[in-house]
Amino acid sequence: MFKEEFGNVLGDHNLSDVDMDAFLKFLVRDKKIIACDGETIKLKSPTDSKIPTITQEDTSIASLKSLIADLEIQTKLFTERVERMEHVAKEAVAKMNRVSALAALRSKKSAESNLANRHATLSQLEEVLSKIEQAADQVDLVRIMESSMKVLSSLNKEVGGVERVDDVIDKLREQMGQVDEVGDIIAEPGQNNVDETEVDDELEAMEREEMRKIEEKERLVKEEKERKETADTKRKLDELADVERKAREAKKAEDFVDESTKGLRRISLEPEPIAEHA
């Protein structure tokens, strides 16, 4: 099973038997992450710091897994045989070949019987393997819990119990209080050297400067607003003047057209002079 699963670690090239033996020796001797006795291979657990060893339980589990794998292959083959015999029987019936159809159906029934037996056996073995794996997980869990208990017990011993913790906290608070007292003493001489008048004067100067900045900012904003309003008013007046100019030009054009029309009418209405004959 190990070879089938890890034989293609190099990609398309499958490892030969010699290559696989060398690979296993490398993992056992150099990496020390597996144990191998020629029949069974055991991988090192991530939580285990010791070199793995193969026990009788490991051999039994490996044999059980190998048997399950063989049964899975057999069930696949019997399933394919059932489907193939059914297809053969249908073809024989279509060709009116009753003998071949009966033979195919008998083979199908035999394959179905074997398939049912394999499925039943496989189901039982898988259930057994599931129970074994569950028990193994429980063993690992208990081992981890036991190890954790030992670590926790050791840490609690280092802590020294509740009394020691209370004593440490009390001493810590005492030392912190002393630090605060020393800080207060150091700060006392400098407290009387501050001239409150100078502080007030400096504050007033800062406030006046801030007020001046605010007024200057407001003045600039106001001037910018007035400039924009003036420009907007000028633009509107220019637009109005342009509209009036266009209106005058349109009126002139209209008057010119009217005068031209009236002139043409007068010309067409005046009688032509009659020539006098001698």
Side-chain angles (χ1 to χ4, degrees):
M1 293 177 62
F2 186 87
K3 183 177 180 180
E4 285 77 6
E5 187 170 354
F6 299 98
N8 58 349
V9 292
L10 298 180
D12 297 333
H13 177 69
N14 292 328
L15 296 178
S16 63
D17 293 338
V18 177
D19 295 334
M20 181 58 69
D21 291 339
F23 180 55
L24 292 175
K25 288 181 180 179
F26 170 74
L27 296 178
V28 173
R29 182 184 60 193
D30 299 332
K31 292 298 183 179
K32 296 180 175 58
I33 59 175
I34 69 168
C36 180
D37 61 359
E39 295 292 336
T40 305
I41 298 174
K42 181 179 180 180
L43 298 176
K44 180 181 178 181
S45 174
T47 59
D48 195 355
S49 59
K50 299 180 180 179
I51 299 176
T53 57
I54 298 176
T55 62
Q56 183 62 38
E57 290 80 4
D58 296 328
T59 303
S60 299
I61 293 173
S63 299
L64 183 59
K65 289 183 178 180
S66 178
L67 182 57
I68 290 175
D70 292 339
L71 286 175
E72 289 176 346
I73 295 174
Q74 292 179 23
T75 54
K76 182 179 179 181
L77 294 176
F78 279 119
T79 300
E80 293 175 352
R81 180 171 177 78
V82 169
E83 294 175 353
R84 186 170 64 255
M85 289 298 100
E86 183 177 2
H87 180 69
V88 171
K90 289 181 179 180
E91 287 185 347
V93 171
K95 295 178 181 179
M96 301 299 179
N97 191 342
R98 190 169 183 275
V99 176
S100 298
L102 288 173
L105 289 176
R106 291 191 185 96
S107 298
K108 176 188 174 185
K109 291 297 181 181
S110 177
E112 287 177 343
S113 177
N114 291 327
L115 179 61
N117 292 333
R118 296 299 189 280
H119 275 305
T121 304
L122 181 61
S123 177
Q124 293 177 357
L125 294 179
E126 287 178 343
E127 184 178 0
V128 172
L129 179 60
S130 176
K131 295 297 183 181
I132 292 175
E133 291 177 344
Q134 182 180 356
D137 292 339
Q138 291 174 351
V139 170
D140 291 338
L141 178 60
V142 172
R143 186 184 298 114
I144 293 173
M145 293 175 64
E146 183 179 8
S147 176
S148 301
M149 181 270 296
K150 292 180 180 179
V151 172
L152 187 59
S153 176
S154 176
L155 293 175
N156 285 331
K157 288 180 180 179
E158 292 183 9
V159 171
V162 178
E163 294 79 6
R164 183 186 176 192
V165 174
D166 290 337
D167 184 56
V168 170
I169 292 177
D170 291 338
K171 291 181 179 180
L172 179 61
R173 289 173 179 171
E174 181 181 353
Q175 296 300 321
M176 292 173 63
Q178 291 181 6
V179 172
D180 293 337
E181 292 178 1
V182 172
D184 294 339
I185 294 173
I186 293 174
E188 285 179 358
Q191 292 179 354
N192 297 327
N193 294 331
V194 178
D195 189 345
E196 295 296 334
T197 303
E198 293 181 358
V199 173
D200 293 338
D201 293 341
E202 185 175 357
L203 178 60
E204 290 179 1
M206 293 175 65
E207 290 176 344
R208 287 194 300 271
E209 179 64 20
E210 184 65 23
M211 184 61 66
R212 186 189 65 79
K213 292 180 179 179
I214 293 174
E215 292 176 352
E216 179 67 16
K217 183 177 180 180
E218 291 178 350
R219 184 183 63 80
L220 293 175
V221 171
K222 183 178 180 181
E223 290 179 355
E224 179 66 18
K225 183 178 179 181
E226 291 177 351
R227 185 186 64 79
K228 289 182 178 180
E229 290 178 352
T230 302
D232 189 42
T233 302
K234 183 177 181 302
R235 179 180 57 79
K236 290 180 179 179
L237 291 174
D238 292 341
E239 291 177 354
L240 181 60
D242 187 58
V243 171
E244 292 178 351
R245 180 181 58 79
K246 291 181 179 179
R248 288 195 298 270
E249 291 177 354
K251 185 67 170 59
K252 288 181 179 180
E254 185 179 354
D255 293 342
F256 177 76
V257 172
D258 290 342
E259 290 295 332
S260 299
T261 303
K262 290 178 181 180
L264 291 174
R265 287 177 179 176
R266 285 196 300 269
I267 293 173
S268 61
L269 292 176
E270 290 179 357
E272 295 182 358
I274 301 174
E276 296 180 357
H277 298 280

